[in-house]
Amino acid sequence: DAGITQSPRHKVTETGTPVTLRCHQTENHRYMYWYRQDPGHGLRLIHYSYGVKDTDKGEVSDGYSVSRSKTEDFLLTLESATSSQTSVYFCAISDSDRANTEAFFGQGTRLTVV
Amino acid sequence: EDQVTQSPEALRLQEGESSSLNCSYTVSGLRGLFWYRQDPGKGPEFLFTLYSAGEEKEKERLKATLTKKESFLHITAPKPEDSATYLCAVQAVGGSYIPTFGRGTSLIVHP
């Protein structure tokens, strides 16, 4: 299994509070992604990173920010949590320097905003 | 814009009843098509990568095929442990390595 750890695995937070989710990898892969998964929508890309301090927006980036200060860590921050951000969040990694560039996923973080 | 459509949304089979899942895609140029399996409460688990039309990959009871417009995941003589959601994703040529996912097919295999 690819070395990806997401923390926390579960979190309940109140509307309006900031929340940070962490993704840690031990594979030294260049690309890291944050997706959210909701019934009826599948996996939707929030933000991604293609290197240290290199990030870009995905299709559902409003209300989220990210940071990558080290190759192994990719943080997702909900600046002011809303109920619409209740979801399961997945981190994924992939390596552009290999012939195969499939993404490997973490176990997910279930976030509930009340 | 890259698009991936999976059908059916849900599929119920009896143990041993073979069937196929479909993934149709629209992409400017295909770099790779990926199949994943996702069990409840877990992250997607990588199954196969297909790169060019005519390519096939097999793993146990699963066989993935690829044409220029779609991919099929054939499940032969399924068992209850094959029950999961199967996700398809495409990766386009040209710079970005971001995979675009379909919404998945939920498969239930009854004993």
Short mmCIF file of all heavy atoms in Angstrom, two decimals, chain A residues 1-10 21-24 33-35 37 43 87-93 104-111, chain B residues 36-46:
data_model
loop_
_atom_site.label_atom_id
_atom_site.label_comp_id
_atom_site.label_asym_id
_atom_site.label_seq_id
_atom_site.Cartn_x
_atom_site.Cartn_y
_atom_site.Cartn_z
N ASP A 1 0.83 -1.21 0.00
CA ASP A 1 0.00 0.00 0.00
C ASP A 1 0.86 1.25 0.00
O ASP A 1 1.90 1.31 0.64
CB ASP A 1 -0.91 0.02 1.23
CG ASP A 1 -2.00 -1.03 1.16
OD1 ASP A 1 -2.21 -1.59 0.08
OD2 ASP A 1 -2.63 -1.28 2.19
N ALA A 2 0.42 2.23 -0.81
CA ALA A 2 1.13 3.50 -0.83
C ALA A 2 1.06 4.14 0.54
O ALA A 2 0.07 4.04 1.23
CB ALA A 2 0.51 4.42 -1.88
N GLY A 3 2.17 4.82 0.92
CA GLY A 3 2.25 5.42 2.24
C GLY A 3 1.58 6.77 2.28
O GLY A 3 2.24 7.80 2.09
N ILE A 4 0.28 6.77 2.51
CA ILE A 4 -0.47 8.02 2.62
C ILE A 4 -1.27 7.98 3.92
O ILE A 4 -2.01 7.02 4.15
CB ILE A 4 -1.47 8.19 1.45
CG1 ILE A 4 -0.79 7.99 0.12
CG2 ILE A 4 -2.12 9.57 1.50
CD1 ILE A 4 -1.77 7.90 -1.03
N THR A 5 -1.14 9.00 4.71
CA THR A 5 -1.86 9.08 5.97
C THR A 5 -2.63 10.38 6.02
O THR A 5 -2.06 11.46 5.82
CB THR A 5 -0.89 9.02 7.17
OG1 THR A 5 -0.10 7.85 7.08
CG2 THR A 5 -1.66 9.02 8.47
N GLN A 6 -3.93 10.27 6.27
CA GLN A 6 -4.75 11.46 6.45
C GLN A 6 -5.12 11.62 7.92
O GLN A 6 -5.39 10.65 8.61
CB GLN A 6 -6.05 11.35 5.64
CG GLN A 6 -5.83 11.43 4.15
CD GLN A 6 -7.13 11.46 3.37
OE1 GLN A 6 -7.35 10.67 2.46
NE2 GLN A 6 -8.02 12.37 3.73
N SER A 7 -5.12 12.87 8.38
CA SER A 7 -5.53 13.12 9.75
C SER A 7 -6.27 14.45 9.84
O SER A 7 -5.95 15.39 9.11
CB SER A 7 -4.30 13.14 10.68
OG SER A 7 -3.39 14.14 10.28
N PRO A 8 -7.31 14.53 10.70
CA PRO A 8 -7.88 13.40 11.43
C PRO A 8 -8.69 12.51 10.51
O PRO A 8 -8.93 12.86 9.35
CB PRO A 8 -8.77 14.09 12.46
CG PRO A 8 -9.24 15.33 11.75
CD PRO A 8 -8.06 15.78 10.93
N ARG A 9 -9.16 11.37 10.98
CA ARG A 9 -10.02 10.51 10.17
C ARG A 9 -11.47 10.95 10.27
O ARG A 9 -12.26 10.75 9.35
CB ARG A 9 -9.88 9.06 10.64
CG ARG A 9 -8.51 8.45 10.36
CD ARG A 9 -8.26 8.29 8.85
NE ARG A 9 -9.38 7.70 8.16
CZ ARG A 9 -9.65 6.41 8.13
NH1 ARG A 9 -8.87 5.56 8.76
NH2 ARG A 9 -10.69 5.96 7.46
N HIS A 10 -11.83 11.52 11.40
CA HIS A 10 -13.19 12.01 11.61
C HIS A 10 -13.09 13.34 12.35
O HIS A 10 -12.23 13.50 13.23
CB HIS A 10 -14.02 11.03 12.46
CG HIS A 10 -14.12 9.67 11.86
ND1 HIS A 10 -15.10 9.33 10.97
CD2 HIS A 10 -13.36 8.56 12.04
CE1 HIS A 10 -14.94 8.06 10.61
NE2 HIS A 10 -13.89 7.57 11.25
N LEU A 21 -7.13 19.97 7.45
CA LEU A 21 -6.93 18.54 7.26
C LEU A 21 -5.52 18.33 6.73
O LEU A 21 -5.01 19.11 5.92
CB LEU A 21 -7.95 17.98 6.26
CG LEU A 21 -9.42 18.30 6.52
CD1 LEU A 21 -10.29 17.60 5.48
CD2 LEU A 21 -9.84 17.93 7.92
N ARG A 22 -4.92 17.22 7.19
CA ARG A 22 -3.52 16.98 6.81
C ARG A 22 -3.39 15.70 6.01
O ARG A 22 -4.04 14.69 6.30
CB ARG A 22 -2.65 16.87 8.06
CG ARG A 22 -1.16 16.63 7.77
CD ARG A 22 -0.38 16.48 9.05
NE ARG A 22 1.06 16.34 8.80
CZ ARG A 22 1.79 15.34 9.26
NH1 ARG A 22 1.23 14.38 9.98
NH2 ARG A 22 3.09 15.29 9.00
N CYS A 23 -2.52 15.76 5.00
CA CYS A 23 -2.16 14.58 4.22
C CYS A 23 -0.66 14.44 4.26
O CYS A 23 0.06 15.39 3.94
CB CYS A 23 -2.65 14.73 2.79
SG CYS A 23 -2.21 13.35 1.71
N HIS A 24 -0.19 13.26 4.65
CA HIS A 24 1.23 13.00 4.75
C HIS A 24 1.58 11.79 3.90
O HIS A 24 0.92 10.75 3.99
CB HIS A 24 1.60 12.73 6.22
CG HIS A 24 3.04 12.40 6.43
ND1 HIS A 24 4.03 13.37 6.44
CD2 HIS A 24 3.66 11.21 6.61
CE1 HIS A 24 5.20 12.78 6.63
NE2 HIS A 24 5.01 11.47 6.74
N TYR A 33 -3.14 15.66 -4.28
CA TYR A 33 -4.47 16.16 -4.61
C TYR A 33 -5.38 16.09 -3.39
O TYR A 33 -5.25 15.19 -2.56
CB TYR A 33 -5.13 15.28 -5.70
CG TYR A 33 -4.26 14.94 -6.89
CD1 TYR A 33 -3.43 13.82 -6.87
CD2 TYR A 33 -4.30 15.71 -8.05
CE1 TYR A 33 -2.66 13.48 -7.96
CE2 TYR A 33 -3.53 15.38 -9.15
CZ TYR A 33 -2.71 14.26 -9.10
OH TYR A 33 -1.93 13.94 -10.19
N TRP A 34 -6.31 17.00 -3.34
CA TRP A 34 -7.43 16.91 -2.39
C TRP A 34 -8.72 16.81 -3.20
O TRP A 34 -9.00 17.65 -4.07
CB TRP A 34 -7.51 18.13 -1.47
CG TRP A 34 -6.59 18.06 -0.30
CD1 TRP A 34 -5.45 18.78 -0.09
CD2 TRP A 34 -6.75 17.23 0.86
NE1 TRP A 34 -4.89 18.44 1.11
CE2 TRP A 34 -5.66 17.50 1.72
CE3 TRP A 34 -7.70 16.28 1.26
CZ2 TRP A 34 -5.51 16.86 2.94
CZ3 TRP A 34 -7.55 15.65 2.47
CH2 TRP A 34 -6.46 15.94 3.31
N TYR A 35 -9.50 15.76 -2.90
CA TYR A 35 -10.81 15.56 -3.49
C TYR A 35 -11.85 15.55 -2.36
O TYR A 35 -11.56 15.18 -1.24
CB TYR A 35 -10.90 14.21 -4.19
CG TYR A 35 -10.16 14.09 -5.50
CD1 TYR A 35 -8.82 13.68 -5.52
CD2 TYR A 35 -10.78 14.35 -6.71
CE1 TYR A 35 -8.12 13.54 -6.72
CE2 TYR A 35 -10.09 14.22 -7.92
CZ TYR A 35 -8.78 13.82 -7.91
OH TYR A 35 -8.10 13.68 -9.09
N GLN A 37 -15.79 13.81 -1.79
CA GLN A 37 -16.69 12.83 -2.37
C GLN A 37 -18.05 12.95 -1.72
O GLN A 37 -18.18 12.83 -0.49
CB GLN A 37 -16.14 11.41 -2.18
CG GLN A 37 -16.94 10.35 -2.93
CD GLN A 37 -16.29 8.98 -2.85
OE1 GLN A 37 -15.80 8.57 -1.83
NE2 GLN A 37 -16.27 8.27 -3.99
N LEU A 43 -16.15 11.91 -7.07
CA LEU A 43 -14.94 12.58 -6.59
C LEU A 43 -14.74 13.89 -7.35
O LEU A 43 -14.65 13.89 -8.58
CB LEU A 43 -13.72 11.68 -6.80
CG LEU A 43 -13.52 10.55 -5.81
CD1 LEU A 43 -12.56 9.52 -6.35
CD2 LEU A 43 -13.00 11.09 -4.48
N SER A 87 -18.61 16.51 4.17
CA SER A 87 -18.24 15.62 3.08
C SER A 87 -17.18 14.64 3.58
O SER A 87 -16.73 14.70 4.71
CB SER A 87 -17.68 16.45 1.91
OG SER A 87 -17.44 15.63 0.77
N VAL A 88 -16.81 13.75 2.68
CA VAL A 88 -15.64 12.91 2.90
C VAL A 88 -14.52 13.43 2.01
O VAL A 88 -14.71 13.59 0.80
CB VAL A 88 -15.92 11.43 2.60
CG1 VAL A 88 -14.67 10.59 2.86
CG2 VAL A 88 -17.09 10.92 3.44
N TYR A 89 -13.39 13.71 2.61
CA TYR A 89 -12.26 14.29 1.90
C TYR A 89 -11.16 13.25 1.72
O TYR A 89 -10.77 12.56 2.67
CB TYR A 89 -11.71 15.49 2.68
CG TYR A 89 -12.68 16.65 2.70
CD1 TYR A 89 -13.69 16.72 3.65
CD2 TYR A 89 -12.59 17.66 1.74
CE1 TYR A 89 -14.60 17.77 3.65
CE2 TYR A 89 -13.49 18.71 1.74
CZ TYR A 89 -14.49 18.76 2.69
OH TYR A 89 -15.38 19.80 2.69
N PHE A 90 -10.69 13.15 0.48
CA PHE A 90 -9.63 12.20 0.16
C PHE A 90 -8.41 12.94 -0.37
O PHE A 90 -8.52 13.83 -1.21
CB PHE A 90 -10.08 11.20 -0.89
CG PHE A 90 -11.05 10.18 -0.39
CD1 PHE A 90 -12.39 10.30 -0.64
CD2 PHE A 90 -10.60 9.09 0.35
CE1 PHE A 90 -13.30 9.36 -0.17
CE2 PHE A 90 -11.49 8.14 0.82
CZ PHE A 90 -12.84 8.28 0.57
N CYS A 91 -7.27 12.51 0.12
CA CYS A 91 -5.99 12.94 -0.42
C CYS A 91 -5.49 11.86 -1.37
O CYS A 91 -5.70 10.66 -1.12
CB CYS A 91 -5.00 13.16 0.73
SG CYS A 91 -3.32 13.53 0.21
N ALA A 92 -4.84 12.26 -2.43
CA ALA A 92 -4.25 11.31 -3.37
C ALA A 92 -2.87 11.80 -3.79
O ALA A 92 -2.58 13.01 -3.72
CB ALA A 92 -5.15 11.12 -4.59
N ILE A 93 -2.04 10.86 -4.21
CA ILE A 93 -0.70 11.20 -4.70
C ILE A 93 -0.45 10.49 -6.01
O ILE A 93 -1.02 9.44 -6.28
CB ILE A 93 0.39 10.81 -3.68
CG1 ILE A 93 0.44 9.30 -3.46
CG2 ILE A 93 0.17 11.53 -2.36
CD1 ILE A 93 1.60 8.83 -2.59
N PHE A 104 -2.81 7.23 -6.01
CA PHE A 104 -3.07 6.39 -4.85
C PHE A 104 -3.73 7.25 -3.78
O PHE A 104 -3.33 8.40 -3.57
CB PHE A 104 -1.77 5.78 -4.33
CG PHE A 104 -1.12 4.86 -5.31
CD1 PHE A 104 -0.12 5.32 -6.15
CD2 PHE A 104 -1.53 3.54 -5.43
CE1 PHE A 104 0.48 4.48 -7.08
CE2 PHE A 104 -0.93 2.69 -6.35
CZ PHE A 104 0.07 3.16 -7.17
N PHE A 105 -4.72 6.67 -3.11
CA PHE A 105 -5.55 7.43 -2.20
C PHE A 105 -5.32 7.09 -0.74
O PHE A 105 -4.98 5.95 -0.40
CB PHE A 105 -7.03 7.18 -2.52
CG PHE A 105 -7.50 7.89 -3.75
CD1 PHE A 105 -7.25 7.38 -5.00
CD2 PHE A 105 -8.20 9.10 -3.65
CE1 PHE A 105 -7.67 8.05 -6.15
CE2 PHE A 105 -8.63 9.76 -4.79
CZ PHE A 105 -8.36 9.24 -6.03
N GLY A 106 -5.54 8.09 0.11
CA GLY A 106 -5.60 7.86 1.53
C GLY A 106 -6.94 7.27 1.93
O GLY A 106 -7.81 7.04 1.09
N GLN A 107 -7.12 7.08 3.23
CA GLN A 107 -8.32 6.43 3.75
C GLN A 107 -9.49 7.40 3.93
O GLN A 107 -10.61 6.97 4.18
CB GLN A 107 -8.02 5.74 5.08
CG GLN A 107 -7.12 4.53 4.92
CD GLN A 107 -7.76 3.46 4.03
OE1 GLN A 107 -8.79 2.90 4.35
NE2 GLN A 107 -7.16 3.20 2.88
N GLY A 108 -9.22 8.67 3.79
CA GLY A 108 -10.31 9.63 3.85
C GLY A 108 -10.50 10.26 5.23
O GLY A 108 -10.12 9.69 6.25
N THR A 109 -11.07 11.46 5.22
CA THR A 109 -11.46 12.17 6.44
C THR A 109 -12.93 12.51 6.32
O THR A 109 -13.33 13.19 5.37
CB THR A 109 -10.65 13.46 6.62
OG1 THR A 109 -9.28 13.16 6.82
CG2 THR A 109 -11.18 14.27 7.81
N ARG A 110 -13.71 12.04 7.27
CA ARG A 110 -15.14 12.38 7.28
C ARG A 110 -15.33 13.63 8.11
O ARG A 110 -15.09 13.62 9.32
CB ARG A 110 -15.96 11.22 7.83
CG ARG A 110 -17.47 11.49 7.81
CD ARG A 110 -18.25 10.25 8.21
NE ARG A 110 -18.10 9.18 7.24
CZ ARG A 110 -18.83 9.08 6.12
NH1 ARG A 110 -19.75 9.99 5.84
NH2 ARG A 110 -18.63 8.06 5.31
N LEU A 111 -15.75 14.71 7.47
CA LEU A 111 -15.94 16.00 8.14
C LEU A 111 -17.43 16.34 8.20
O LEU A 111 -18.12 16.29 7.18
CB LEU A 111 -15.21 17.11 7.40
CG LEU A 111 -15.38 18.53 7.95
CD1 LEU A 111 -14.72 18.65 9.31
CD2 LEU A 111 -14.84 19.56 6.98
N TYR B 36 -10.65 1.87 -10.53
CA TYR B 36 -10.46 1.75 -9.09
C TYR B 36 -11.62 0.99 -8.48
O TYR B 36 -12.74 1.03 -8.99
CB TYR B 36 -10.40 3.13 -8.42
CG TYR B 36 -9.18 3.95 -8.73
CD1 TYR B 36 -9.11 4.71 -9.89
CD2 TYR B 36 -8.10 3.99 -7.85
CE1 TYR B 36 -7.99 5.48 -10.17
CE2 TYR B 36 -6.97 4.75 -8.13
CZ TYR B 36 -6.93 5.49 -9.29
OH TYR B 36 -5.83 6.24 -9.57
N ARG B 37 -11.35 0.37 -7.37
CA ARG B 37 -12.39 -0.24 -6.54
C ARG B 37 -12.44 0.52 -5.23
O ARG B 37 -11.40 0.84 -4.64
CB ARG B 37 -12.02 -1.71 -6.27
CG ARG B 37 -12.88 -2.37 -5.22
CD ARG B 37 -12.35 -3.69 -4.78
NE ARG B 37 -13.12 -4.18 -3.65
CZ ARG B 37 -13.74 -5.36 -3.63
NH1 ARG B 37 -13.65 -6.18 -4.66
NH2 ARG B 37 -14.42 -5.72 -2.56
N GLN B 38 -13.66 0.83 -4.75
CA GLN B 38 -13.81 1.52 -3.48
C GLN B 38 -14.77 0.76 -2.59
O GLN B 38 -15.94 0.58 -2.95
CB GLN B 38 -14.27 2.96 -3.67
CG GLN B 38 -14.30 3.75 -2.37
CD GLN B 38 -14.64 5.21 -2.57
OE1 GLN B 38 -15.24 5.60 -3.56
NE2 GLN B 38 -14.24 6.05 -1.62
N ASP B 39 -14.29 0.34 -1.44
CA ASP B 39 -15.14 -0.30 -0.43
C ASP B 39 -15.68 0.78 0.50
O ASP B 39 -15.05 1.82 0.70
CB ASP B 39 -14.33 -1.33 0.35
CG ASP B 39 -13.93 -2.50 -0.54
OD1 ASP B 39 -14.85 -3.13 -1.10
OD2 ASP B 39 -12.73 -2.76 -0.70
N PRO B 40 -16.85 0.52 1.12
CA PRO B 40 -17.46 1.52 2.01
C PRO B 40 -16.50 1.97 3.10
O PRO B 40 -15.84 1.14 3.75
CB PRO B 40 -18.66 0.78 2.58
CG PRO B 40 -19.00 -0.24 1.54
CD PRO B 40 -17.70 -0.68 0.96
N GLY B 41 -16.39 3.28 3.28
CA GLY B 41 -15.56 3.82 4.35
C GLY B 41 -14.08 3.82 4.05
O GLY B 41 -13.27 4.13 4.94
N LYS B 42 -13.70 3.51 2.82
CA LYS B 42 -12.28 3.45 2.47
C LYS B 42 -11.99 4.30 1.24
O LYS B 42 -12.90 4.70 0.52
CB LYS B 42 -11.86 2.01 2.22
CG LYS B 42 -11.96 1.12 3.44
CD LYS B 42 -11.30 -0.22 3.19
CE LYS B 42 -11.31 -1.06 4.47
NZ LYS B 42 -10.62 -2.37 4.27
N GLY B 43 -10.71 4.55 1.01
CA GLY B 43 -10.32 5.26 -0.18
C GLY B 43 -10.30 4.35 -1.39
O GLY B 43 -10.21 3.12 -1.26
N PRO B 44 -10.39 4.92 -2.60
CA PRO B 44 -10.30 4.11 -3.81
C PRO B 44 -8.99 3.35 -3.88
O PRO B 44 -7.92 3.88 -3.55
CB PRO B 44 -10.42 5.14 -4.93
CG PRO B 44 -11.14 6.29 -4.32
CD PRO B 44 -10.66 6.34 -2.90
N GLU B 45 -9.09 2.11 -4.37
CA GLU B 45 -7.92 1.24 -4.51
C GLU B 45 -7.67 1.00 -6.00
O GLU B 45 -8.56 0.56 -6.72
CB GLU B 45 -8.17 -0.08 -3.80
CG GLU B 45 -7.06 -1.11 -3.96
CD GLU B 45 -7.45 -2.46 -3.38
OE1 GLU B 45 -8.46 -2.53 -2.66
OE2 GLU B 45 -6.74 -3.44 -3.64
N PHE B 46 -6.46 1.27 -6.44
CA PHE B 46 -6.12 1.17 -7.85
C PHE B 46 -6.21 -0.28 -8.33
O PHE B 46 -5.74 -1.21 -7.66
CB PHE B 46 -4.71 1.71 -8.07
CG PHE B 46 -4.15 1.44 -9.44
CD1 PHE B 46 -4.62 2.13 -10.53
CD2 PHE B 46 -3.15 0.50 -9.63
CE1 PHE B 46 -4.12 1.89 -11.80
CE2 PHE B 46 -2.64 0.26 -10.87
CZ PHE B 46 -3.12 0.95 -11.96
#
